[in-house]
Amino acid sequence: MLQNRIPYRISGGTSFFSRAEIKDILAYLRILTNPDNDSAFLRIVNTPKREIGPKTIQKLGEWAILRQKSLFNASFDVGFKQTLTGRSLIALQHFTHWLANIAKRAEREPLLAVRDLLHDIDYKSWLYETSTSSKAAEMRMKNVNQLFGWMDEIVNSNDIDEAMTLSQVVSRFTLLDMMERGETTEDLDQVQLMTLYASKGLEFPYVFLVGMEEGLLPHQTSIDEDNIDEERRLAYVGITRAQRALFFTHCRERRQYGELIRPEISRFLHELPQDDLLWEQNKKIVTVEQRMEKGQSAIADIGARLGLNKK
């Protein structure tokens, strides 16, 4: 939805821009484009860890208030060295000087600057250190890569005359974030997405179950633990939400963790009454002549029923 600029809202799940790793990276982008953004500075100053403790931040904050400057700009003041000394000062100024250099490079080459930023902070290792599992870390890094991919598409979009600046990219992401949380003032039509859990008790004329693949539904964890009964119940919940028509989708191939895989169709599709399923790949190709013949036959049939074909 984001990639195609389609407004949407998620019910019962975590939105993309609400994820901690996305908030971290957006905070870096915001401070690069606006050094006066104190909230962004506070989020990233010690993410990942840089030996910049609460006391250091407190002294910097006191000095910033005294000099009526932002936290970032206050760190460069010569007089601040009299307030903070030793390793704490070195760690803080090393961080802010590095950030200032990245910001200058971002004005000329935003994509390369952000790529170098992610490399310099070794954010991937940070995710592995702070995540509950290696798989969770992989998924979080996948989200970061997705964000960078969207940034690449926005900067190099073919529908604009000039490449967008990093500041414009941040503004675009901010708008998308607001749209996700329903904070835009415009009354926009939105695609409504929800988890299977959130759909319980609801019904809709048309329902789309996306990703009917082994590893997604049923989920790979349930397959590994030989416990797919709950997954089957969830699939049943989704199926029975439809009042008029139900659509299943699955990928022929998808890229996962940098590798191209060809998913297997979900076993739950094979468990359904096959006479009630219309498989897209089994549809017969109908020529223009066949459609015309069928249409003429239908008209003739209607005429016969109404007695219009009698001489």
Side-chain angles (χ1 to χ4, degrees), residues 104-148:
K104 289 180 181 178
R105 291 158 57 191
E107 293 176 0
R108 304 185 304 271
E109 299 175 313
L111 290 175
L112 290 177
V114 174
R115 183 183 291 116
D116 290 344
L117 182 150
L118 293 172
H119 178 269
D120 291 347
I121 65 177
D122 197 8
Y123 193 71
K124 185 175 182 179
S125 296
W126 166 253
L127 290 180
Y128 274 89
E129 291 175 7
T130 57
S131 299
T132 55
S133 65
S134 60
K135 180 163 289 188
E138 289 176 2
M139 291 301 298
R140 296 178 68 188
M141 194 62 206
K142 182 180 179 182
N143 291 333
V144 173
N145 291 334
Q146 183 69 70
L147 183 71
F148 185 83

Side-chain angles (χ1 to χ4, degrees), residues 182-200:
E183 294 183 3
T184 49
T185 56
E186 302 178 16
D187 186 16
L188 296 175
D189 289 334
Q190 295 181 333
V191 175
Q192 300 295 322
L193 305 175
M194 64 176 55
T195 63
L196 289 171
Y197 282 106
S199 71
K200 290 182 178 179

Side-chain angles (χ1 to χ4, degrees), residues 194 196 199 202-210 237-249:
M194 64 176 55
L196 289 171
S199 71
L202 303 176
E203 287 187 328
F204 307 91
Y206 301 93
V207 170
F208 293 79
L209 290 185
V210 181
V237 168
I239 290 170
T240 53
R241 298 310 92 196
Q243 296 171 319
R244 297 182 61 183
L246 174 65
F247 299 84
F248 300 104
T249 72

Side-chain angles (χ1 to χ4, degrees), residues 25-93:
I25 303 306
L26 287 181
Y28 272 102
L29 299 185
R30 289 190 175 105
I31 202 67
L32 290 179
T33 58
N34 178 18
D36 293 333
N37 192 324
D38 285 344
S39 61
F41 181 87
L42 289 173
R43 184 174 184 94
I44 67 172
V45 67
N46 217 26
T47 303
K49 297 292 184 182
R50 296 186 177 89
E51 298 183 356
I52 302 176
K55 290 184 178 180
T56 301
I57 301 301
Q58 181 181 352
K59 290 184 178 181
L60 177 61
E62 292 171 351
W63 182 262
I65 293 173
L66 180 65
R67 304 297 297 176
Q68 295 185 342
K69 293 184 175 182
S70 66
L71 296 172
F72 177 79
N73 289 323
S75 68
F76 295 96
D77 282 1
V78 176
F80 181 58
K81 294 180 180 179
Q82 300 175 358
T83 303
L84 187 67
T85 59
R87 294 176 58 185
S88 298
L89 177 63
I90 294 174
L92 177 62
Q93 291 195 328

